[in-house]
Amino acid sequence: MELRQLEHFVAAAEERHFTRAARRLHIVQSGLSASIRSLERELGAPLFVRSTRRVELTQAGLALLPEARRTLAAVAAAGDAVAAVQGLLRGTLAVGTMQILPPAVDLVAVLGRFHAEHPGVELRLRQAGTGTLLEEVAAGALDLALVAPVGRPPRGLVVRRLASDPLLVACAPAHPLASRGQLDLADLAGEPFVDFQPDWGLRMLVDQQLAAAGLDRHTALEVNDLPTLLELVAHGLGVALVPEVVTGHPAEVRYLPLRPPAPTFEVAVATVGDPPASQAARVLLAMLPGAE
């Protein structure tokens, strides 16, 4: 088994298409197909179910993918370690993030500083929900990710808490709750909610907090971006629990504090290993506030 074969396999698995994978790797499709057939013969199992439109992973392929990613990441980390001894930082750094972050964690500024200090490193950024990000860090697709530390992370991950932001109740200005000073979670009983998709960290936190309070809520509307959520709330289509950081959004929404002890929205950074294998990941990690 050669590293080149694993690179070809991972590209085809991620693209779900041999032509796109070959284009991504700057090789001809016939060469990619021959490499993967050779890998399948060596392993004694088909890795893909091929069709004219796309390819899908077999059970063997699904089992190989995270191991192939980890192997390639380890090889890259070895090269980066040698380069680091020579005073260089190179390679690729794949970072994942939630859409909402507390003000203390300015990821854009951190990435800008990292790029200015280490221009030889190719930065990749992926935005997704906490559940998806944790899976991709565990699989080796991401070097690190900013997530909400809700529930138990996948085995092998290290999660460091960075900052937190208090949760507020968001409602329309004309909503009956809007004239109140402070609220309890019990005041939200029976209210329709606007919320994010189930694998978002904020959604997981809200589900957890309301369940702990004994509230069986109705999520009327699910979205995957903050502006839409706040606009729906502003038009009276439901209430939401959101971090304080979102109050700067221009939507006409009334924000009400919860009585102490109010739940908080936390952000953490997830990596494989402590410290992570990638030298670039270790450098970026040191730049994040509260991570050291």
Side-chain angles (χ1 to χ4, degrees), residues 26-50:
H26 306 292
I27 62 175
V28 296
Q29 181 181 336
S30 59
L32 176 76
S33 299
S35 175
I36 291 176
R37 284 196 300 270
S38 176
L39 180 60
E40 290 175 323
R41 285 195 300 271
E42 186 167 347
L43 293 173
L47 300 174
F48 294 99
V49 177
R50 297 159 172 83

Side-chain angles (χ1 to χ4, degrees), residues 90-116:
R90 66 182 191 186
T92 300
L93 179 62
V95 180
T97 182
M98 305 179 292
Q99 190 177 120
I100 303 173
L101 297 174
V105 183
D106 190 343
L107 179 61
V108 174
V110 169
L111 292 177
R113 176 186 163 195
F114 180 92
H115 176 67

Side-chain angles (χ1 to χ4, degrees), residues 8 11 18-29 31-32 122 124:
H8 295 171
F18 278 18
T19 301
R20 289 197 299 268
R23 190 180 303 125
R24 166 175 151 182
L25 295 168
H26 306 292
I27 62 175
V28 296
Q29 181 181 336
L32 176 76
E122 178 188 354
R124 295 178 182 171

